Amino acid sequence: MRVISIPMDFNEDELYVDLRPTVGYPLFLKCEGFNFAGSIKIKAAAAMVEAAERSGTLSPDSTLVESSSGNLGVALSMIAASRGYRFLCVTDARCNLSTRRMMEALGSEVHIITEPDPHGGLLGARIAFIHKLIASDDQYIWLNQYSNPANWKAHYRTTAPAIARQFPQLDVLFVGAGTTGTLMGCARYFRESHRPVRVVAVDSVGSVTFGSPPGRRMIPGLGTSVRPALLDESYVDEVVLVEETDTIRTCHRLARRGFLFGGSTGTVVSGAASWLARHDARDLTSVAIAPDLGERYLDTVYQTNWVQDLYGEDVLGTDAELTADARRM
């Protein structure tokens, strides 16, 4: 029997799904959504708060503030509630309603940005709001996940070593790119441990992270409209860009096999499957990181009207076609 006293003490870090029957290639999906925050962001959130506590930045009167499209906001809400801090999440309309309600249920305040910045999009507008807030009141402490080294160090210490233990002969690692904390932590670990692992970043079409032009992105999680300060491309071997329509199809095909994952996971699996197919990589051992599960996307990615309104009536095909595609994956 395992007994815990704080929510951060529970995180299932050794669970993988064998996707070989689904994608036709040796791909193992590391599931990071089995904790009380429901996503991989619990690691970065805990690390950033602990670093701020060690430095003396946080006091009992402090209010944590962070920009988040959802998962980090939930993780910080949970940690703030367990440690007695106030927390303000600055997000935008793309944040799922269930995610906003979850943060509020945990006692956090949610501020929604509606107008994008002319140059930085909605993320730029969120960050600009935070800059004004912390300039006006020093009780607000911005953890700044986009440049905080505790973000990538959390995955250097935990995520990457866990993968290395389970897959000593790992050839390829697929990591989604958001703040690039997970990507940089894992890439640095395998580079510095002199493991011959090819690190492939998976990003959304419309994201500017790797120099592509900005475009519409409706699924929260991966991608950004402002290049993350954490990113060092010298650690990345290759980048795969995924259309949101492919993300949605992959999520639905996985669901037809009984696996309900989030939009970020759908993007990573889609990118990994296309890379493996292009390289005919049947003899390689590969791992993809699944940041979250699908319950928070029931009103978006898994809601037929939402999908068809944004991407067209034919994006999913018929139920029979989806099921057949899932069997062929």
Side-chain angles (χ1 to χ4, degrees):
M1 181 176 66
R2 185 177 181 185
V3 179
I4 65 172
S5 57
I6 56 174
M8 291 81 74
D9 285 346
F10 174 76
N11 186 43
E12 177 53 65
D13 203 34
E14 304 292 342
L15 180 61
Y16 295 81
V17 174
D18 185 350
L19 289 182
R20 283 176 294 188
T22 305
V23 302
Y25 295 94
L27 177 64
F28 298 90
L29 190 63
K30 188 178 193 305
C31 301
E32 291 280 356
F34 292 96
N35 55 64
F36 282 99
S39 80
I40 195 171
K41 289 294 187 178
I42 185 61
K43 296 177 179 179
M48 290 190 295
V49 170
E50 290 165 3
E53 290 175 334
R54 288 194 302 270
S55 69
T57 303
L58 286 177
S59 71
D61 296 327
S62 297
T63 298
L64 296 169
V65 61
E66 186 55 271
S67 161
S68 171
S69 60
N71 284 336
L72 183 72
V74 171
L76 284 172
S77 295
M78 187 194 73
I79 291 172
S82 68
R83 299 196 179 196
Y85 296 116
R86 293 181 296 275
F87 172 56
L88 168 63
C89 180
V90 181
T91 188
D92 58 63
R94 293 172 300 180
C95 179
N96 299 322
L97 178 60
S98 61
T99 300
R100 300 202 301 264
R101 287 176 173 170
M102 189 175 299
M103 289 188 279
E104 291 168 345
L106 289 165
S108 297
E109 181 183 353
V110 180
H111 180 84
I112 302 172
I113 297 293
T114 58
E115 294 297 325
D117 179 85
H119 304 291
L122 287 167
L123 175 57
R126 279 156 40 184
I127 292 174
F129 177 85
I130 292 176
H131 278 300
K132 291 180 182 178
L133 192 68
I134 60 177
S136 66
D137 192 336
D138 60 8
Q139 79 166 357
Y140 289 101
I141 304 299
W142 183 24
L143 296 173
N144 194 358
Q145 62 167 325
Y146 309 102
S147 63
N148 192 326
N151 185 346
W152 69 261
K153 289 179 180 178
H155 302 287
Y156 185 96
R157 293 194 305 266
T158 62
T159 309
I163 295 170
R165 287 193 301 271
Q166 291 295 323
F167 297 92
Q169 304 302 319
L170 181 65
D171 295 301
V172 188
L173 177 65
F174 297 96
V175 189
T179 65
T180 69
T182 307
L183 175 64
M184 286 294 95
C186 291
R188 287 175 183 269
Y189 175 87
F190 284 109
R191 177 75 59 84
E192 294 173 12
S193 61
H194 304 289
R195 296 277 298 272
V197 175
R198 187 171 187 83
V199 176
V200 179
V202 182
D203 199 10
S204 301
V205 170
S207 168
V208 307
T209 298
F210 295 97
S212 297
R216 185 187 76 161
R217 292 178 296 107
M218 300 304 298
I219 301 173
L222 301 186
T224 182
S225 55
V226 178
R227 179 183 168 91
L230 292 178
L231 177 62
D232 183 344
E233 289 188 61
S234 68
Y235 287 93
V236 179
D237 295 299
E238 195 170 342
V239 178
V240 175
L241 298 179
V242 176
E243 295 276 2
E244 287 195 332
T245 50
D246 292 326
T247 292
I248 290 168
R249 291 189 190 104
T250 300
C251 285
H252 282 258
R253 288 166 183 165
L254 288 169
R256 287 300 191 277
R257 297 187 68 92
F259 295 110
L260 194 74
F261 285 108
S264 297
T265 299
T267 301
V268 174
V269 172
S270 177
S274 66
W275 189 97
L276 292 167
R278 287 197 307 273
H279 292 79
D280 195 21
R282 299 180 189 279
D283 296 327
L284 297 180
T285 298
S286 56
V287 169
I289 298 176
D292 58 3
L293 302 177
E295 290 90 343
R296 294 174 192 169
Y297 298 83
L298 294 177
D299 293 330
T300 54
V301 170
Y302 294 103
Q303 217 287 325
T304 301
N305 290 339
W306 185 90
V307 171
Q308 292 180 342
D309 287 346
L310 289 173
Y311 305 101
E313 293 186 0
D314 298 329
V315 64
L316 293 177
T318 66
D319 283 346
E321 289 170 337
L322 269 176
T323 301
D325 285 345
R327 289 171 178 166
R328 287 195 296 267
M329 282 181 69

